Amino acid sequence: MNRFEGRRVLITGAGSGIGQATVHRILAEGGRVVAADVDAAGLEATAARAAADGAAGRLRTAVLDIADEAAVRSGVAAAVDGLGGLDVLVNAAGILRSAHTHETGLELFNAIIATNLTGTFLMIREALPALLEGASPVVVNFSSTSASFAHPYMAAYAASKGGIQSMTHAIAAEYGKQGLRAVCVAPGSIASGMTSGRGPGLPEDADMSLFAKLAPALGEGFAGPETVAGVIAMLASEDGAFITGTEIRIDGGTHM
Ligand SMILES: NC(=O)c1ccc[n+]([C@@H]2O[C@H](COP(=O)([O-])OP(=O)(O)OC[C@H]3O[C@@H](n4cnc5c(N)ncnc54)[C@H](O)[C@@H]3O)[C@@H](O)[C@H]2O)c1
């Protein structure tokens, strides 16, 4: 499949997990990609795999903190410049931090909102002018099963993801007549840097019985990030041409 031939794609969170898998999927389908992440080492790994796949000529990497307004402004401008325009923005960058809500300091709460929700907003705002001049433009945002299903100890994270979901609907309505689609993926139970313990995990005294559902109905456990990347490739290609203002849950049926 070559659904991304000629398509210009900017992906955040591209140094690990789902964002990285999405880079490789879109390169494999012929796209040109700018891979952005705050983690330079992660981006080096992304670039090394692209080189091994013979796709290095269609990939650029950019160290970028999506929570930094000035960096987003210059980073998006440089990406659009390098690609000669923009057709697809994939906002995969995000952080997960868990804590008892009554022990969550304002600094931690604000940091999670700043990266996940405000960072996603900043990326969209800066990319919109180029996207609206692009071909069949698409924004793919990252919600989470935590936005719609109760996940204890993740109040700030769940709020950030619910906010992203609502923001996506607003953008889909606002720019639909100009041809832009905005969709969310809502992953769950995906093996990645985040779920293998980057950052603090659940509180030590977490009551696991509070999690209504933990196990996917499919398979033997968590799935790989490429399972989400394939859905993103569908959504951001013409195969997703009639999908906007909604979210697709990809969790192997954990939250049926
Ligand atoms: N893995 C899951 O089961 C799951 C479930 C629900 C939602 N998600 C969402 O999927 C997305 C991808 O996460 P993942 O699971 O691949 O985890 P991951 O930790 O492997 O990848 C996240 C990437 O985002 C980057 N990042 C973090 N803060 C950043 C910032 N300020 N600026 C730029 N980059 C930044 C990290 O460096 C990392 O490379 C996230 O938005 C996450 O919330 C994942």
Side-chain angles (χ1 to χ4, degrees):
M1 262 191 298
N2 255 13
R3 295 178 295 187
F4 285 85
E5 211 163 294
R7 260 168 113 53
R8 303 157 295 184
V9 183
L10 172 57
I11 301 174
T12 70
S16 177
I18 302 168
Q20 187 178 61
T22 305
V23 172
H24 298 313
R25 176 62 187 249
I26 288 180
L27 287 174
E29 289 205 38
R32 285 167 53 219
V33 177
V34 171
D37 202 293
V38 75
D39 176 12
L43 288 175
E44 276 171 32
T46 306
R49 158 86 189 272
D53 290 349
R58 287 183 284 113
L59 176 70
R60 286 186 188 200
T61 59
V63 176
L64 172 61
D65 178 356
I66 63 162
D68 177 339
E69 184 176 21
V72 170
R73 196 170 277 143
S74 57
V76 170
V80 169
D81 213 37
L83 290 167
L86 191 64
D87 306 309
V88 178
L89 170 65
V90 179
N91 285 306
I95 54 172
L96 170 62
R97 303 284 184 272
S98 309
H100 290 283
T101 302
H102 67 278
E103 291 171 358
T104 300
L106 187 57
E107 203 177 323
L108 176 61
F109 184 88
N110 283 342
I112 294 167
I113 298 293
T115 296
N116 294 358
L117 181 56
T118 311
T120 296
F121 158 70
L122 289 172
M123 287 298 300
I124 293 169
R125 187 191 69 188
E126 292 306 310
L128 266 171
L131 284 167
L132 291 172
E133 289 185 0
S136 305
V138 184
V139 176
V140 180
N141 289 331
F142 272 66
S143 181
S144 159
T145 50
S146 68
S148 307
F149 303 90
H151 288 187
Y153 315 117
M154 297 181 196
Y157 179 79
S160 75
K161 294 300 186 177
I164 288 171
Q165 211 162 283
S166 305
M167 183 167 68
T168 305
H169 295 185
I171 290 162
E174 191 172 339
Y175 298 100
K177 281 199 174 157
Q178 293 169 73
L180 180 119
R181 295 189 291 112
V183 291
C184 275
V185 287
S189 311
I190 305 298
S192 70
M194 184 176 285
T195 52
S196 64
R198 175 178 299 151
L202 292 171
E204 272 181 22
D205 60 348
D207 178 353
M208 297 310 286
S209 73
L210 298 181
F211 285 87
K213 300 259 185 88
L214 279 172
L218 295 173
E220 305 270 305
F222 280 23
E226 66 284 351
T227 53
V228 182
V231 177
I232 292 169
M234 179 276 285
L235 288 170
S237 73
E238 281 307 292
D239 285 336
F242 208 47
I243 304 175
T244 195
T246 190
E247 38 283 333
I248 294 188
R249 177 167 54 86
I250 308 152
D251 69 345
T254 301
H255 295 87
M256 279 188 290

